Amino acid sequence: MTQQISFTHVENELLPKFRNTLSQARSTEDVKKMFGYCMQELLQKVSGGTLDLRLEDVTLQPEEKGYRIAEHIRNLDAFTTVWKDTDLCRIVDRITELCLHHYTHLAKNPEKTEAKIRR
């Protein structure tokens, strides 16, 4: 049985700032961008700086109720090392859920979004 590495401490470090930023999203596109920035920061931290991601490398996919990691990232040893035998997948799932919830809220209430933009 292999021992699993936990990155929960990184999640706990990022979540307060991320939740605050996410709550200020004015559109569904903002939510997608914030997800991408959070994933960049998360993966950078858990890989010890060896992963250099672009915003489009990890994207929120609301229509699929999930996220997509670019194939060229999934094929990197630095990525597979931190993805395998860690709790990173569950952390990404939790952050994805937060984003999908907020995305759905903004998509269902476009008038509130417009009101925020006009302020």
Tab-separated table of all heavy atoms in Angstrom, residues 53-111:
chain	number	residue	atom	x	y	z
A	53	LEU	N	2.220	26.905	-16.077
A	53	LEU	CA	0.945	26.775	-16.779
A	53	LEU	C	0.485	28.083	-17.394
A	53	LEU	O	0.732	29.158	-16.851
A	53	LEU	CB	-0.142	26.316	-15.807
A	53	LEU	CG	0.046	24.974	-15.145
A	53	LEU	CD1	-0.945	24.806	-14.026
A	53	LEU	CD2	-0.112	23.874	-16.148
A	54	ARG	N	-0.220	27.956	-18.499
A	54	ARG	CA	-0.927	29.092	-19.081
A	54	ARG	C	-2.377	29.003	-18.610
A	54	ARG	O	-2.834	27.951	-18.177
A	54	ARG	CB	-0.863	29.020	-20.598
A	54	ARG	CG	0.550	29.125	-21.152
A	54	ARG	CD	0.524	29.066	-22.663
A	54	ARG	NE	-0.337	27.977	-23.115
A	54	ARG	CZ	0.050	26.974	-23.882
A	54	ARG	NH1	1.289	26.894	-24.291
A	54	ARG	NH2	-0.795	26.037	-24.244
A	55	LEU	N	-3.080	30.100	-18.723
A	55	LEU	CA	-4.470	30.155	-18.270
A	55	LEU	C	-5.333	29.094	-18.957
A	55	LEU	O	-6.206	28.500	-18.337
A	55	LEU	CB	-5.039	31.548	-18.519
A	55	LEU	CG	-6.368	31.879	-17.876
A	55	LEU	CD1	-6.283	31.749	-16.363
A	55	LEU	CD2	-6.808	33.273	-18.250
A	56	GLU	N	-5.074	28.810	-20.209
A	56	GLU	CA	-5.896	27.861	-20.962
A	56	GLU	C	-5.503	26.395	-20.747
A	56	GLU	O	-6.122	25.502	-21.318
A	56	GLU	CB	-5.881	28.195	-22.461
A	56	GLU	CG	-4.521	28.132	-23.110
A	56	GLU	CD	-3.720	29.434	-23.043
A	56	GLU	OE1	-4.146	30.391	-22.380
A	56	GLU	OE2	-2.645	29.473	-23.658
A	57	ASP	N	-4.503	26.137	-19.915
A	57	ASP	CA	-4.073	24.760	-19.673
A	57	ASP	C	-5.023	23.986	-18.758
A	57	ASP	O	-5.138	22.771	-18.861
A	57	ASP	CB	-2.657	24.726	-19.087
A	57	ASP	CG	-1.605	25.084	-20.129
A	57	ASP	OD1	-1.877	24.928	-21.333
A	57	ASP	OD2	-0.519	25.526	-19.732
A	58	VAL	N	-5.680	24.683	-17.852
A	58	VAL	CA	-6.695	24.058	-16.991
A	58	VAL	C	-7.920	24.961	-17.059
A	58	VAL	O	-7.871	26.107	-16.634
A	58	VAL	CB	-6.215	23.909	-15.534
A	58	VAL	CG1	-7.267	23.191	-14.696
A	58	VAL	CG2	-4.890	23.171	-15.458
A	59	THR	N	-9.002	24.432	-17.616
A	59	THR	CA	-10.184	25.263	-17.840
A	59	THR	C	-11.418	24.665	-17.186
A	59	THR	O	-11.577	23.448	-17.121
A	59	THR	CB	-10.462	25.426	-19.353
A	59	THR	OG1	-10.581	24.140	-19.949
A	59	THR	CG2	-9.353	26.209	-20.044
A	60	LEU	N	-12.279	25.546	-16.734
A	60	LEU	CA	-13.574	25.156	-16.187
A	60	LEU	C	-14.483	24.813	-17.359
A	60	LEU	O	-14.546	25.548	-18.345
A	60	LEU	CB	-14.165	26.311	-15.379
A	60	LEU	CG	-15.452	26.037	-14.620
A	60	LEU	CD1	-15.200	25.036	-13.490
A	60	LEU	CD2	-16.014	27.333	-14.039
A	61	GLN	N	-15.173	23.685	-17.257
A	61	GLN	CA	-16.066	23.217	-18.314
A	61	GLN	C	-17.478	23.069	-17.744
A	61	GLN	O	-17.909	21.964	-17.408
A	61	GLN	CB	-15.577	21.875	-18.877
A	61	GLN	CG	-14.185	21.909	-19.462
A	61	GLN	CD	-14.128	22.736	-20.723
A	61	GLN	OE1	-14.951	22.585	-21.625
A	61	GLN	NE2	-13.149	23.631	-20.791
A	62	PRO	N	-18.216	24.177	-17.600
A	62	PRO	CA	-19.551	24.120	-16.974
A	62	PRO	C	-20.527	23.208	-17.700
A	62	PRO	O	-21.334	22.536	-17.064
A	62	PRO	CB	-20.036	25.563	-17.019
A	62	PRO	CG	-18.850	26.380	-17.316
A	62	PRO	CD	-17.841	25.524	-17.982
A	63	GLU	N	-20.440	23.165	-19.015
A	63	GLU	CA	-21.371	22.318	-19.766
A	63	GLU	C	-21.123	20.834	-19.517
A	63	GLU	O	-22.012	20.022	-19.691
A	63	GLU	CB	-21.313	22.630	-21.271
A	63	GLU	CG	-19.947	22.498	-21.911
A	63	GLU	CD	-18.987	23.664	-21.656
A	63	GLU	OE1	-19.420	24.744	-21.226
A	63	GLU	OE2	-17.783	23.469	-21.883
A	64	GLU	N	-19.927	20.510	-19.063
A	64	GLU	CA	-19.590	19.113	-18.738
A	64	GLU	C	-19.577	18.875	-17.229
A	64	GLU	O	-19.205	17.793	-16.770
A	64	GLU	CB	-18.212	18.768	-19.315
A	64	GLU	CG	-18.155	18.869	-20.819
A	64	GLU	CD	-16.736	18.753	-21.354
A	64	GLU	OE1	-15.850	18.276	-20.623
A	64	GLU	OE2	-16.521	19.158	-22.504
A	65	LYS	N	-19.922	19.899	-16.457
A	65	LYS	CA	-19.916	19.835	-14.984
A	65	LYS	C	-18.544	19.446	-14.440
A	65	LYS	O	-18.421	18.605	-13.559
A	65	LYS	CB	-20.981	18.864	-14.470
A	65	LYS	CG	-22.373	19.172	-14.913
A	65	LYS	CD	-22.954	20.305	-14.128
A	65	LYS	CE	-24.417	20.490	-14.482
A	65	LYS	NZ	-24.772	21.837	-14.764
A	66	GLY	N	-17.516	20.045	-15.022
A	66	GLY	CA	-16.175	19.711	-14.566
A	66	GLY	C	-15.114	20.650	-15.096
A	66	GLY	O	-15.366	21.823	-15.317
A	67	TYR	N	-13.933	20.096	-15.310
A	67	TYR	CA	-12.786	20.865	-15.777
A	67	TYR	C	-12.015	20.029	-16.795
A	67	TYR	O	-12.219	18.827	-16.913
A	67	TYR	CB	-11.871	21.249	-14.606
A	67	TYR	CG	-11.358	20.058	-13.829
A	67	TYR	CD1	-10.143	19.460	-14.158
A	67	TYR	CD2	-12.087	19.526	-12.773
A	67	TYR	CE1	-9.682	18.359	-13.451
A	67	TYR	CE2	-11.625	18.434	-12.061
A	67	TYR	CZ	-10.421	17.859	-12.404
A	67	TYR	OH	-9.957	16.768	-11.706
A	68	ARG	N	-11.121	20.705	-17.508
A	68	ARG	CA	-10.292	20.017	-18.492
A	68	ARG	C	-8.846	20.451	-18.294
A	68	ARG	O	-8.560	21.634	-18.199
A	68	ARG	CB	-10.746	20.352	-19.898
A	68	ARG	CG	-9.902	19.652	-20.964
A	68	ARG	CD	-10.453	19.803	-22.346
A	68	ARG	NE	-11.722	19.075	-22.404
A	68	ARG	CZ	-12.795	19.506	-23.044
A	68	ARG	NH1	-12.771	20.637	-23.678
A	68	ARG	NH2	-13.905	18.794	-23.051
A	69	ILE	N	-7.972	19.465	-18.235
A	69	ILE	CA	-6.539	19.708	-18.150
A	69	ILE	C	-5.955	19.368	-19.517
A	69	ILE	O	-6.188	18.277	-20.035
A	69	ILE	CB	-5.883	18.851	-17.050
A	69	ILE	CG1	-6.502	19.186	-15.695
A	69	ILE	CG2	-4.368	19.062	-17.026
A	69	ILE	CD1	-6.074	18.267	-14.568
A	70	ALA	N	-5.222	20.307	-20.096
A	70	ALA	CA	-4.654	20.112	-21.427
A	70	ALA	C	-3.777	18.863	-21.458
A	70	ALA	O	-3.071	18.562	-20.493
A	70	ALA	CB	-3.848	21.341	-21.827
A	71	GLU	N	-3.844	18.177	-22.568
A	71	GLU	CA	-3.111	16.915	-22.703
A	71	GLU	C	-1.610	17.090	-22.524
A	71	GLU	O	-0.955	16.256	-21.895
A	71	GLU	CB	-3.403	16.276	-24.061
A	71	GLU	CG	-2.805	14.909	-24.207
A	71	GLU	CD	-3.213	14.216	-25.490
A	71	GLU	OE1	-4.149	14.673	-26.170
A	71	GLU	OE2	-2.574	13.208	-25.815
A	72	HIS	N	-1.059	18.195	-23.051
A	72	HIS	CA	0.389	18.382	-22.913
A	72	HIS	C	0.805	18.572	-21.452
A	72	HIS	O	1.917	18.243	-21.086
A	72	HIS	CB	0.899	19.535	-23.794
A	72	HIS	CG	0.484	20.892	-23.338
A	72	HIS	ND1	-0.732	21.449	-23.662
A	72	HIS	CD2	1.130	21.796	-22.572
A	72	HIS	CE1	-0.814	22.645	-23.128
A	72	HIS	NE2	0.295	22.883	-22.462
A	73	ILE	N	-0.105	19.035	-20.614
A	73	ILE	CA	0.172	19.157	-19.171
A	73	ILE	C	0.062	17.774	-18.521
A	73	ILE	O	0.914	17.383	-17.728
A	73	ILE	CB	-0.789	20.158	-18.490
A	73	ILE	CG1	-0.608	21.558	-19.072
A	73	ILE	CG2	-0.613	20.145	-16.984
A	73	ILE	CD1	0.766	22.160	-18.859
A	74	ARG	N	-0.972	17.034	-18.878
A	74	ARG	CA	-1.158	15.689	-18.309
A	74	ARG	C	0.001	14.757	-18.635
A	74	ARG	O	0.252	13.806	-17.902
A	74	ARG	CB	-2.469	15.073	-18.796
A	74	ARG	CG	-3.694	15.702	-18.159
A	74	ARG	CD	-4.949	15.057	-18.635
A	74	ARG	NE	-5.094	15.428	-20.050
A	74	ARG	CZ	-5.859	14.809	-20.925
A	74	ARG	NH1	-6.554	13.766	-20.554
A	74	ARG	NH2	-5.945	15.220	-22.155
A	75	ASN	N	0.694	15.018	-19.718
A	75	ASN	CA	1.812	14.173	-20.130
A	75	ASN	C	3.138	14.543	-19.471
A	75	ASN	O	4.119	13.813	-19.633
A	75	ASN	CB	1.973	14.208	-21.654
A	75	ASN	CG	0.814	13.530	-22.362
A	75	ASN	OD1	0.175	12.629	-21.816
A	75	ASN	ND2	0.529	13.960	-23.564
A	76	LEU	N	3.186	15.649	-18.761
A	76	LEU	CA	4.425	16.065	-18.103
A	76	LEU	C	4.687	15.243	-16.849
A	76	LEU	O	3.770	15.003	-16.054
A	76	LEU	CB	4.348	17.548	-17.711
A	76	LEU	CG	4.282	18.564	-18.838
A	76	LEU	CD1	4.034	19.957	-18.269
A	76	LEU	CD2	5.568	18.544	-19.652
A	77	ASP	N	5.921	14.836	-16.668
A	77	ASP	CA	6.291	14.088	-15.457
A	77	ASP	C	6.009	14.888	-14.198
A	77	ASP	O	5.570	14.337	-13.191
A	77	ASP	CB	7.777	13.693	-15.492
A	77	ASP	CG	8.042	12.578	-16.499
A	77	ASP	OD1	7.092	11.845	-16.843
A	77	ASP	OD2	9.204	12.453	-16.933
A	78	ALA	N	6.266	16.191	-14.248
A	78	ALA	CA	6.025	17.046	-13.081
A	78	ALA	C	4.557	17.017	-12.673
A	78	ALA	O	4.235	17.066	-11.485
A	78	ALA	CB	6.466	18.479	-13.367
A	79	PHE	N	3.655	16.917	-13.653
A	79	PHE	CA	2.230	16.855	-13.344
A	79	PHE	C	1.837	15.485	-12.817
A	79	PHE	O	1.167	15.369	-11.789
A	79	PHE	CB	1.380	17.205	-14.571
A	79	PHE	CG	-0.091	17.084	-14.308
A	79	PHE	CD1	-0.768	18.061	-13.605
A	79	PHE	CD2	-0.804	15.970	-14.734
A	79	PHE	CE1	-2.123	17.940	-13.335
A	79	PHE	CE2	-2.149	15.841	-14.486
A	79	PHE	CZ	-2.809	16.831	-13.775
A	80	THR	N	2.239	14.439	-13.521
A	80	THR	CA	1.832	13.095	-13.104
A	80	THR	C	2.375	12.758	-11.722
A	80	THR	O	1.726	12.045	-10.965
A	80	THR	CB	2.268	12.019	-14.122
A	80	THR	OG1	3.672	12.097	-14.332
A	80	THR	CG2	1.542	12.187	-15.441
A	81	THR	N	3.525	13.309	-11.389
A	81	THR	CA	4.104	13.075	-10.063
A	81	THR	C	3.221	13.636	-8.961
A	81	THR	O	3.003	12.975	-7.945
A	81	THR	CB	5.514	13.704	-9.979
A	81	THR	OG1	6.334	13.096	-10.972
A	81	THR	CG2	6.126	13.503	-8.617
A	82	VAL	N	2.697	14.862	-9.156
A	82	VAL	CA	1.858	15.458	-8.109
A	82	VAL	C	0.407	15.001	-8.185
A	82	VAL	O	-0.332	15.140	-7.218
A	82	VAL	CB	1.921	17.006	-8.092
A	82	VAL	CG1	3.306	17.488	-7.765
A	82	VAL	CG2	1.412	17.603	-9.381
A	83	TRP	N	-0.026	14.473	-9.319
A	83	TRP	CA	-1.412	14.024	-9.465
A	83	TRP	C	-1.606	12.621	-8.895
A	83	TRP	O	-2.604	12.328	-8.267
A	83	TRP	CB	-1.802	14.062	-10.942
A	83	TRP	CG	-3.266	13.924	-11.202
A	83	TRP	CD1	-3.915	12.813	-11.628
A	83	TRP	CD2	-4.261	14.947	-11.077
A	83	TRP	NE1	-5.258	13.073	-11.766
A	83	TRP	CE2	-5.493	14.378	-11.441
A	83	TRP	CE3	-4.227	16.277	-10.686
A	83	TRP	CZ2	-6.683	15.095	-11.427
A	83	TRP	CZ3	-5.406	16.996	-10.677
A	83	TRP	CH2	-6.623	16.411	-11.046
A	84	LYS	N	-0.602	11.780	-9.116
A	84	LYS	CA	-0.679	10.388	-8.683
A	84	LYS	C	-0.337	10.292	-7.195
A	84	LYS	O	0.579	10.928	-6.717
A	84	LYS	CB	0.326	9.571	-9.509
A	84	LYS	CG	0.331	8.113	-9.220
A	84	LYS	CD	1.378	7.425	-10.074
A	84	LYS	CE	1.643	6.054	-9.498
A	84	LYS	NZ	2.854	5.476	-10.016
A	85	ASP	N	-1.070	9.489	-6.481
A	85	ASP	CA	-0.830	9.240	-5.055
A	85	ASP	C	-0.888	10.489	-4.186
A	85	ASP	O	-0.159	10.600	-3.198
A	85	ASP	CB	0.516	8.519	-4.841
A	85	ASP	CG	0.523	7.145	-5.494
A	85	ASP	OD1	-0.563	6.520	-5.557
A	85	ASP	OD2	1.597	6.708	-5.934
A	86	THR	N	-1.714	11.457	-4.591
A	86	THR	CA	-1.946	12.639	-3.753
A	86	THR	C	-3.445	12.914	-3.706
A	86	THR	O	-4.229	12.279	-4.418
A	86	THR	CB	-1.235	13.901	-4.296
A	86	THR	OG1	-1.891	14.329	-5.492
A	86	THR	CG2	0.247	13.666	-4.548
A	87	ASP	N	-3.814	13.884	-2.908
A	87	ASP	CA	-5.220	14.288	-2.835
A	87	ASP	C	-5.524	15.462	-3.764
A	87	ASP	O	-6.569	16.087	-3.666
A	87	ASP	CB	-5.605	14.623	-1.393
A	87	ASP	CG	-4.796	15.762	-0.799
A	87	ASP	OD1	-3.791	16.184	-1.418
A	87	ASP	OD2	-5.149	16.214	0.301
A	88	LEU	N	-4.625	15.764	-4.678
A	88	LEU	CA	-4.790	16.909	-5.573
A	88	LEU	C	-6.071	16.820	-6.394
A	88	LEU	O	-6.766	17.820	-6.571
A	88	LEU	CB	-3.572	17.041	-6.490
A	88	LEU	CG	-3.549	18.251	-7.412
A	88	LEU	CD1	-3.645	19.552	-6.617
A	88	LEU	CD2	-2.298	18.230	-8.265
A	89	CYS	N	-6.416	15.652	-6.871
A	89	CYS	CA	-7.639	15.471	-7.658
A	89	CYS	C	-8.872	15.896	-6.855
A	89	CYS	O	-9.743	16.594	-7.364
A	89	CYS	CB	-7.763	14.021	-8.103
A	89	CYS	SG	-9.236	13.672	-9.077
A	90	ARG	N	-8.929	15.492	-5.598
A	90	ARG	CA	-10.071	15.868	-4.748
A	90	ARG	C	-10.090	17.374	-4.475
A	90	ARG	O	-11.158	17.983	-4.401
A	90	ARG	CB	-10.051	15.065	-3.460
A	90	ARG	CG	-10.446	13.602	-3.682
A	90	ARG	CD	-10.639	12.840	-2.389
A	90	ARG	NE	-9.444	12.793	-1.552
A	90	ARG	CZ	-8.419	11.965	-1.735
A	90	ARG	NH1	-8.448	11.112	-2.738
A	90	ARG	NH2	-7.391	11.977	-0.920
A	91	ILE	N	-8.920	17.981	-4.330
A	91	ILE	CA	-8.839	19.422	-4.111
A	91	ILE	C	-9.346	20.164	-5.341
A	91	ILE	O	-10.153	21.094	-5.237
A	91	ILE	CB	-7.397	19.843	-3.755
A	91	ILE	CG1	-7.024	19.287	-2.379
A	91	ILE	CG2	-7.238	21.359	-3.795
A	91	ILE	CD1	-5.550	19.385	-2.034
A	92	VAL	N	-8.901	19.742	-6.510
A	92	VAL	CA	-9.358	20.362	-7.762
A	92	VAL	C	-10.864	20.160	-7.918
A	92	VAL	O	-11.578	21.078	-8.327
A	92	VAL	CB	-8.572	19.816	-8.976
A	92	VAL	CG1	-9.175	20.314	-10.284
A	92	VAL	CG2	-7.105	20.211	-8.884
A	93	ASP	N	-11.372	19.004	-7.547
A	93	ASP	CA	-12.819	18.752	-7.598
A	93	ASP	C	-13.582	19.718	-6.691
A	93	ASP	O	-14.627	20.241	-7.083
A	93	ASP	CB	-13.146	17.316	-7.191
A	93	ASP	CG	-12.774	16.293	-8.251
A	93	ASP	OD1	-12.516	16.681	-9.416
A	93	ASP	OD2	-12.723	15.096	-7.911
A	94	ARG	N	-13.076	19.951	-5.495
A	94	ARG	CA	-13.757	20.867	-4.557
A	94	ARG	C	-13.758	22.305	-5.087
A	94	ARG	O	-14.776	23.000	-5.003
A	94	ARG	CB	-13.116	20.798	-3.174
A	94	ARG	CG	-13.438	19.518	-2.433
A	94	ARG	CD	-13.033	19.571	-0.979
A	94	ARG	NE	-11.598	19.613	-0.756
A	94	ARG	CZ	-10.829	18.554	-0.512
A	94	ARG	NH1	-11.367	17.336	-0.506
A	94	ARG	NH2	-9.541	18.694	-0.303
A	95	ILE	N	-12.642	22.743	-5.624
A	95	ILE	CA	-12.570	24.102	-6.180
A	95	ILE	C	-13.474	24.209	-7.404
A	95	ILE	O	-14.155	25.218	-7.593
A	95	ILE	CB	-11.109	24.471	-6.509
A	95	ILE	CG1	-10.309	24.585	-5.210
A	95	ILE	CG2	-11.033	25.764	-7.314
A	95	ILE	CD1	-8.816	24.728	-5.382
A	96	THR	N	-13.516	23.158	-8.198
A	96	THR	CA	-14.395	23.130	-9.367
A	96	THR	C	-15.850	23.263	-8.938
A	96	THR	O	-16.622	24.011	-9.545
A	96	THR	CB	-14.192	21.830	-10.175
A	96	THR	OG1	-12.821	21.765	-10.587
A	96	THR	CG2	-15.095	21.773	-11.385
A	97	GLU	N	-16.235	22.550	-7.883
A	97	GLU	CA	-17.611	22.635	-7.380
A	97	GLU	C	-17.969	24.060	-6.968
A	97	GLU	O	-19.063	24.543	-7.258
A	97	GLU	CB	-17.821	21.690	-6.196
A	97	GLU	CG	-18.078	20.266	-6.605
A	97	GLU	CD	-19.343	20.112	-7.442
A	97	GLU	OE1	-20.398	20.661	-7.071
A	97	GLU	OE2	-19.253	19.437	-8.468
A	98	LEU	N	-17.058	24.731	-6.264
A	98	LEU	CA	-17.291	26.128	-5.881
A	98	LEU	C	-17.540	26.992	-7.114
A	98	LEU	O	-18.475	27.796	-7.153
A	98	LEU	CB	-16.081	26.692	-5.128
A	98	LEU	CG	-15.843	26.261	-3.710
A	98	LEU	CD1	-14.492	26.796	-3.221
A	98	LEU	CD2	-16.953	26.766	-2.810
A	99	CYS	N	-16.701	26.818	-8.107
A	99	CYS	CA	-16.808	27.618	-9.325
A	99	CYS	C	-18.073	27.296	-10.109
A	99	CYS	O	-18.743	28.206	-10.610
A	99	CYS	CB	-15.573	27.414	-10.199
A	99	CYS	SG	-14.090	28.163	-9.500
A	100	LEU	N	-18.397	26.027	-10.222
A	100	LEU	CA	-19.609	25.645	-10.949
A	100	LEU	C	-20.856	26.193	-10.273
A	100	LEU	O	-21.793	26.636	-10.947
A	100	LEU	CB	-19.696	24.128	-11.091
A	100	LEU	CG	-18.705	23.492	-12.063
A	100	LEU	CD1	-18.801	21.970	-11.981
A	100	LEU	CD2	-18.941	23.979	-13.486
A	101	HIS	N	-20.867	26.171	-8.952
A	101	HIS	CA	-22.012	26.716	-8.211
A	101	HIS	C	-22.170	28.207	-8.506
A	101	HIS	O	-23.267	28.683	-8.801
A	101	HIS	CB	-21.837	26.464	-6.714
A	101	HIS	CG	-22.926	27.053	-5.881
A	101	HIS	ND1	-24.175	26.486	-5.800
A	101	HIS	CD2	-22.959	28.161	-5.117
A	101	HIS	CE1	-24.945	27.223	-5.021
A	101	HIS	NE2	-24.225	28.251	-4.595
A	102	HIS	N	-21.072	28.937	-8.429
A	102	HIS	CA	-21.140	30.378	-8.679
A	102	HIS	C	-21.445	30.665	-10.151
A	102	HIS	O	-22.203	31.588	-10.460
A	102	HIS	CB	-19.837	31.053	-8.250
A	102	HIS	CG	-19.993	32.513	-8.021
A	102	HIS	ND1	-20.765	33.026	-7.008
A	102	HIS	CD2	-19.497	33.576	-8.699
A	102	HIS	CE1	-20.737	34.347	-7.058
A	102	HIS	NE2	-19.968	34.705	-8.082
A	103	TYR	N	-20.880	29.886	-11.038
A	103	TYR	CA	-21.150	30.025	-12.469
A	103	TYR	C	-22.654	29.857	-12.740
A	103	TYR	O	-23.261	30.663	-13.434
A	103	TYR	CB	-20.351	28.981	-13.243
A	103	TYR	CG	-20.518	29.055	-14.738
A	103	TYR	CD1	-19.588	29.716	-15.521
A	103	TYR	CD2	-21.600	28.442	-15.382
A	103	TYR	CE1	-19.720	29.785	-16.907
A	103	TYR	CE2	-21.752	28.510	-16.746
A	103	TYR	CZ	-20.810	29.184	-17.503
A	103	TYR	OH	-20.960	29.249	-18.863
A	104	THR	N	-23.235	28.810	-12.176
A	104	THR	CA	-24.666	28.540	-12.355
A	104	THR	C	-25.503	29.685	-11.799
A	104	THR	O	-26.475	30.110	-12.421
A	104	THR	CB	-25.051	27.213	-11.675
A	104	THR	OG1	-24.243	26.175	-12.229
A	104	THR	CG2	-26.514	26.886	-11.869
A	105	HIS	N	-25.119	30.191	-10.633
A	105	HIS	CA	-25.837	31.314	-10.024
A	105	HIS	C	-25.813	32.533	-10.947
A	105	HIS	O	-26.853	33.158	-11.178
A	105	HIS	CB	-25.213	31.658	-8.668
A	105	HIS	CG	-25.785	32.881	-8.050
A	105	HIS	ND1	-27.036	32.901	-7.470
A	105	HIS	CD2	-25.284	34.136	-7.921
A	105	HIS	CE1	-27.286	34.117	-7.020
A	105	HIS	NE2	-26.239	34.884	-7.280
A	106	LEU	N	-24.644	32.871	-11.476
A	106	LEU	CA	-24.542	34.026	-12.372
A	106	LEU	C	-25.280	33.789	-13.682
A	106	LEU	O	-25.899	34.708	-14.229
A	106	LEU	CB	-23.077	34.357	-12.649
A	106	LEU	CG	-22.293	34.943	-11.473
A	106	LEU	CD1	-20.826	35.073	-11.834
A	106	LEU	CD2	-22.872	36.278	-11.035
A	107	ALA	N	-25.243	32.573	-14.196
A	107	ALA	CA	-25.924	32.258	-15.456
A	107	ALA	C	-27.442	32.341	-15.301
A	107	ALA	O	-28.138	32.742	-16.233
A	107	ALA	CB	-25.518	30.872	-15.940
A	108	LYS	N	-27.954	32.002	-14.119
A	108	LYS	CA	-29.401	32.027	-13.887
A	108	LYS	C	-29.899	33.421	-13.538
A	108	LYS	O	-31.094	33.682	-13.620
A	108	LYS	CB	-29.772	31.075	-12.749
A	108	LYS	CG	-29.714	29.626	-13.142
A	108	LYS	CD	-30.154	28.754	-11.995
A	108	LYS	CE	-30.117	27.290	-12.381
A	108	LYS	NZ	-30.494	26.421	-11.268
A	109	ASN	N	-29.012	34.304	-13.106
A	109	ASN	CA	-29.408	35.639	-12.668
A	109	ASN	C	-28.644	36.725	-13.427
A	109	ASN	O	-27.914	37.509	-12.833
A	109	ASN	CB	-29.145	35.790	-11.164
A	109	ASN	CG	-29.955	34.817	-10.350
A	109	ASN	OD1	-31.168	34.854	-10.379
A	109	ASN	ND2	-29.270	33.939	-9.641
A	110	PRO	N	-28.838	36.807	-14.746
A	110	PRO	CA	-28.079	37.794	-15.520
A	110	PRO	C	-28.401	39.234	-15.144
A	110	PRO	O	-27.560	40.110	-15.269
A	110	PRO	CB	-28.460	37.493	-16.971
A	110	PRO	CG	-29.716	36.721	-16.893
A	110	PRO	CD	-29.706	36.011	-15.573
A	111	GLU	N	-29.606	39.486	-14.629
A	111	GLU	CA	-29.963	40.849	-14.237
A	111	GLU	C	-29.119	41.328	-13.047
A	111	GLU	O	-28.749	42.479	-12.961
A	111	GLU	CB	-31.457	40.995	-13.938
A	111	GLU	CG	-31.978	40.187	-12.754
A	111	GLU	CD	-32.209	38.709	-13.048
A	111	GLU	OE1	-32.206	38.303	-14.213
A	111	GLU	OE2	-32.374	37.954	-12.077
